[in-house]
C-alpha cells in the first residue's frame, strides 16, 4: 500500500512539472498525458541530480531545475522548433 502511494505521489509531481514545462515552452505542443508525465519524470530526476551535484539544499531551486530540464525536453521532442 505504501509503495502504491509513493508511485502516485511521484506521478503527481511529474505531471505538475511536465505541465509547468509545457507552460514555459511557447507554442503548440502535441504531447499527451503520458508524454507530459514522462517529460516531467525525466525533468524531476535530472533536476534533483543537478541540485545534489551542486550541493544545493533549496527546494525551490530544485523545482526550477526540474522545470527547466523538462522544458528543454519539451522543446526537443516538439517537431516544430520555430521561434515565436
Amino acid at each position: 500500500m505504501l509503495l502504491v502511494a509513493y508511485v502516485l505521489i511521484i506521478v503527481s509531481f511529474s505531471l505538475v512539472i511536465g505541465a509547468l514545462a509545457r507552460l514555459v515552452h511557447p507554442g503548440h505542443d502535441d504531447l499527451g498525458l503520458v508524454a507530459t508525465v514522462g517529460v516531467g519524470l525525466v525533468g524531476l530526476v535530472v533536476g534533483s541530480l543537478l541540485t545534489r551535484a551542486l550541493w544545493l539544499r533549496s527546494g525551490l531551486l530544485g523545482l526550477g531545475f526540474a522545470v527547466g530540464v523538462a522544458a528543454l525536453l519539451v522543446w526537443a521532442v516538439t517537431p516544430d522548433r520555430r521561434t515565436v
Side-chain angles (χ1 to χ4, degrees):
M1 183 68 180
L2 187 62
L3 180 65
V4 173
Y6 183 72
V7 168
L8 287 176
I9 289 171
I10 294 297
V11 168
S12 299
F13 281 136
S14 299
L15 181 62
V16 168
I17 289 173
L20 287 174
R22 287 181 66 183
L23 284 175
V24 168
H25 183 261
H28 180 71
D29 302 322
D30 286 333
L31 297 176
L33 184 65
V34 175
T36 302
V37 170
V39 166
L41 183 63
V42 172
L44 182 66
V45 170
V46 174
S48 66
L49 287 175
L50 275 173
T51 306
R52 298 264 179 167
L54 296 174
W55 293 353
L56 300 171
R57 297 286 183 196
S58 173
L60 289 177
L61 197 56
L63 178 66
F65 280 147
V67 171
V69 168
L72 284 173
L73 285 173
V74 168
W75 174 80
V77 300
T78 303
D80 188 23
R81 294 187 187 146
R82 291 181 299 183
T83 57
V84 176

